[in-house]
Amino acid sequence: MLAALPPAVQRPGFDRGALKPGIVHLGLGAFMRAHLAVYTDDALDAGAGPAWGISGVSLRQCDTRDALAPQQGLYTLALRDGDGERLRVIGSVLEALVAPEDPNVVAERIAHADTRIVSLTVTEKAYASQAPGSATATVVQGLALRHVRGLGPVTLLSLDNLPANGRVLSRGVLALAERLGGAALHDWIAAGCTFPCSMVDRIVPRTTDADRDRIGAALGAHDAWPVVAEPYIDWVLEDCFAAGRPDWPGVRCVATQGDVAAWERLKLRMVNGAHSALVYLGVVAGWATVDVAIGQPAMQRFIAALLRDEVEPTLTGLAVPPDFRTRLLQRFANPALAHRCAQIAMDGSQKIPQRLLATVRDRLAAGASIEQLAMALAGWLHFLRGHDEAGESYAVDDPLAAALQAQWRQAQALASATARAEHLTRFAPVFGDLAGEPRLVAALAPRLQSLSERGVVATLGA
Ligand code: CS2
């Protein structure tokens, strides 16, 4: 049907039939399909050659495969902002596999002679698991096959929002490899495979049925699972690849992990930190989407002050692009994305440490103020109460939800605002060494109290 699409729709300019899957990607979600797959599509368009198609793997559900298989892996990318929508059919994804249906198929894919890169977008919490079926276990199973069959090493490329994501991945993979395959497998991986660090950036909300209908109408063809994203895109990559890589146009390749780390701090603390600062207050106040929340003057002032006064001073090792903050606020204000606060609010316990607490630690070490950071943290802690200001309940979607909400209830039973705040900072998996830190407690206590007594708008206003 590609030939029949309206002329304005961009489509693959390369011969898909000739492509081999050189990249096996774990986590075939919307983010990957609006980021890695797009960069790779660009590379293929620019003549990267037939080695660089993508084999996508879902680690849990079959829904993406069920949607993409009947359309041979093709799907539409819709880039949206206030000026409208641009459609493009992406052709770099050749197949979609579902790991639970047959884990061996995935291991065999990783162990295929054509495979040179195994990439991952599996979310923050996935890196803590080494259970059978986890991303780490799947990678190790595939690498073990490569090892016994005498195949060459590959690159393991994490594209998740974690500091030093490549190092986190390599620690998990090497530890499990040693446990399952002994020193021989461990040493083979350590000697030959590489684990580049990377910083990825693009806002990609979950696709809705309204998106499907609108995009289908514009295409004149049904697309079972298009993805919607902002026009902005960025990728910084530590350039250490064990078996080559496509020449991805527009990627900023840097030499060392330290070079990536500076970009990562910028991204995690500014973009993701501001997201987390905004969404918990947004959910409680009833502002369903990021653009609606940032459209509230008090919220806009709070986020701008947080970034300018408390986050930017911690960004060392990099000249922060001068318009980064202004541009970020514009990205959040994008009226065409409808990025739901509740979606970003997921898994707070896995996100808050690198997005907000790392900044808090740097500020405290410098003897600097943490007022705005404390407001952001108070927003998250207040959100744990599980109902918004209109009295509607919502679920706290977090792997540690039960323990977090128990901590929250215990805190509510304490007599003073300070005692409550101090008890909340004793939630060790998130706060760690910041437990009971007096300056943090002192900054949190009045904000938590104000949020529960006066609400989000009055607290932000004050
Ligand atoms: C968001 C990110 O869902 C979230 O936690 O903060 O997915 C964010 O949209 C991207 O990292 C932007 O690059």
Side-chain angles (χ1 to χ4, degrees), residues 161 200-203 267 271-272 275 339 344 351 355:
N161 285 315
V200 294
D201 196 3
R202 175 167 256 181
I203 294 173
K267 160 64 177 19
V271 182
N272 298 114
H275 253 168
H339 197 190
I344 302 163
K351 296 174 174 176
R355 296 178 177 206

Side-chain angles (χ1 to χ4, degrees), residues 83-235:
D83 296 334
E85 178 164 70
R86 266 189 297 133
L87 301 183
R88 166 173 177 185
V89 175
I90 302 295
S92 56
V93 177
L94 303 180
E95 64 177 3
L97 307 175
V98 182
E101 288 180 359
D102 192 348
N104 293 324
V105 170
V106 179
E108 287 293 344
R109 252 294 160 234
I110 294 174
H112 196 281
D114 290 339
T115 301
R116 296 146 180 248
I117 295 172
V118 179
S119 51
L120 301 90
T121 48
V122 289
T123 79
E124 296 87 344
K125 60 178 175 253
Y127 289 81
S129 171
Q130 304 204 327
S134 65
T136 312
T138 306
V139 167
V140 170
Q141 200 191 345
L143 293 179
L145 283 181
R146 292 190 78 88
H147 177 227
V148 297
R149 292 179 188 167
L151 288 161
V154 293
T155 302
L156 291 314
L157 176 59
S158 168
L159 302 174
D160 279 294
N161 285 315
L162 284 168
N165 51 13
R167 299 303 179 272
V168 175
L169 178 62
S170 83
R171 273 198 297 277
V173 166
L174 287 172
L176 186 63
E178 175 133 51
R179 195 142 65 70
L180 300 180
L185 179 59
H186 170 280
D187 294 351
W188 178 81
I189 297 172
C193 293
T194 56
F195 296 82
C197 287
S198 66
M199 177 278 258
V200 294
D201 196 3
R202 175 167 256 181
I203 294 173
V204 186
R206 190 174 292 146
T207 305
T208 64
D209 287 337
D211 294 324
R212 279 190 187 84
D213 293 347
R214 186 189 64 249
I215 292 166
L219 291 173
H222 178 67
D223 182 343
W225 207 327
V227 292
V228 172
E230 63 174 341
Y232 185 95
I233 191 165
D234 200 7
W235 193 6

Side-chain angles (χ1 to χ4, degrees), residues 26 47 54 69 92 118 131 163 178 199-200 264 300 341 365 385 393 399 402:
L26 308 186
I54 300 175
S92 56
V118 179
E178 175 133 51
M199 177 278 258
V200 294
E264 235 168 48
Q300 167 99 253
C341 291
R385 71 187 191 157
S393 335

